[in-house]
């Protein structure tokens, strides 16, 4: 491992090398309707964009909450995938919009021995994959997890040294997803198949 590379560099490289896995449309469809009136327009537009394309919705008519709904649907899909792989939810954030709370999910690994925090990103843009935030503190680094402003970690009463991590990206336009795993926030491994989720962090 190159010690000069930041954690953001390592996790970015791992995400780029991770294979794109197939995203079942029915799984996404099952996560769209929150039943909340405040999200009805944005959820309807998400469904149209997912079934057809984002370009089917003129930019001037797009709901202000479309990005927040996309984020929450991404988190819901991620949780379903992890639960199917044997994980047990500890904490998630009630929608219908995402944002502003640090980590997105916290689950116990299938062995029930490790608490894993999950960062989720999703996009309807067909030309790109979503990315983690880079800045003074890289998203999902130990410093970011342990920062006072990370409300999700504060609600768990933990810092970054007490958890492992997963990042999942969803490319809704291409019906694809990918991910990376880190047991110690040093080494980052691309997710190659669902079996690796069932075995994590004993890889």
């Amino acid at each position: 491992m190159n010690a000069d590379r930041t954690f953001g560099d390592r996790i970015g490289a791992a995400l780029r090398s991770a294979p794109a896995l197939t995203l079942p449309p029915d799984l996404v469809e099952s996560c769209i309707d929150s039943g909340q009136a405040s999200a009805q327009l944005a959820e309807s537009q998400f469904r149209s964009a997912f079934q057809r394309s984002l370009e089917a919705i003129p930019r001037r008519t797009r709901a202000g909450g479309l990005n927040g709904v996309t984020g929450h649907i991404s988190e819901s899909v991620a949780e379903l995938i992890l639960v199917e792989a044997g994980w047990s939810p500890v904490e998630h954030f009630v929608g219908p919009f995402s944002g502003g709370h640090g980590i997105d999910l916290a689950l116990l690994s299938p062995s029930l021995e490790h608490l894993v925090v999950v960062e989720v990103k999703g996009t309807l843009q067909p030309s790109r994959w979503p990315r983690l935030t880079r800045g003074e503190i890289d998203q999902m680094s130990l410093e970011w997890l342990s920062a006072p402003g990370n409300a999700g970690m504060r609600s768990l009463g933990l810092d970054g040294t007490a958890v492992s991590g997963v990042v999942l990206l969803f490319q809704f336009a291409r019906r694809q997803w990918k991910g990376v795993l880190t047991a110690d926030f040093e080494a980052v491994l691309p997710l190659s198949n669902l079996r690796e989720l069932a075995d994590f962090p004993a890889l």
Side-chain angles (χ1 to χ4, degrees):
M1 182 186 302
N2 186 341
D4 293 332
R5 300 179 74 192
T6 67
F7 182 75
D9 292 333
R10 296 196 297 277
I11 204 167
L15 283 166
R16 287 190 294 274
S17 67
L21 306 174
T22 300
L23 180 60
D26 58 340
L27 181 64
V28 178
E29 295 276 359
S30 72
C31 295
I32 295 176
D33 292 316
S34 67
Q36 298 194 33
S38 61
Q40 187 173 5
L41 176 58
E43 288 174 344
S44 175
Q45 290 187 344
F46 178 92
R47 177 178 283 106
S48 295
F50 180 65
Q51 292 176 345
R52 295 183 289 165
S53 74
L54 186 59
E55 296 305 314
I57 307 170
R59 188 177 297 274
R60 67 182 181 279
T61 68
R62 293 176 192 172
L66 182 57
N67 286 341
V69 159
T70 300
H72 181 65
I73 291 170
S74 302
E75 293 165 19
S76 299
V77 173
E79 185 169 343
L80 288 178
I81 288 172
L82 292 168
V83 167
E84 181 66 21
W87 295 45
S88 301
V90 172
E91 184 162 327
H92 62 201
F93 300 91
V94 177
F97 305 104
S98 70
H101 44 59
I103 61 166
D104 293 318
L105 303 168
L107 302 95
L108 287 172
S109 66
S111 68
L112 303 181
E113 295 178 353
H114 300 275
L115 182 63
V116 184
V117 296
V118 185
E119 180 64 24
V120 184
K121 301 289 186 183
T123 186
L124 288 161
Q125 295 281 354
S127 60
R128 63 176 180 84
W129 283 89
R131 295 181 293 181
L132 293 180
T133 301
R134 299 292 303 275
E136 188 172 331
I137 302 178
D138 291 337
Q139 198 170 19
M140 284 298 279
S141 65
L142 285 175
E143 294 81 5
W144 181 82
L145 290 167
S146 301
N150 195 315
M153 290 296 292
R154 300 291 75 72
S155 68
L156 293 172
L158 300 170
D159 65 19
T161 62
V163 297
S164 297
V166 170
V167 176
L168 299 180
L169 307 182
F170 293 93
Q171 225 303 348
F172 292 113
R174 304 180 196 172
R175 309 290 199 275
Q176 293 177 330
W177 66 286
K178 61 169 59 178
V180 296
L181 316 168
T182 178
D184 55 8
F185 299 93
E186 289 292 334
V188 185
L189 302 175
L191 177 66
S192 299
N193 54 65
L194 289 173
R195 182 64 199 170
E196 291 177 350
L197 286 175
D199 292 338
F200 183 72
L203 295 175

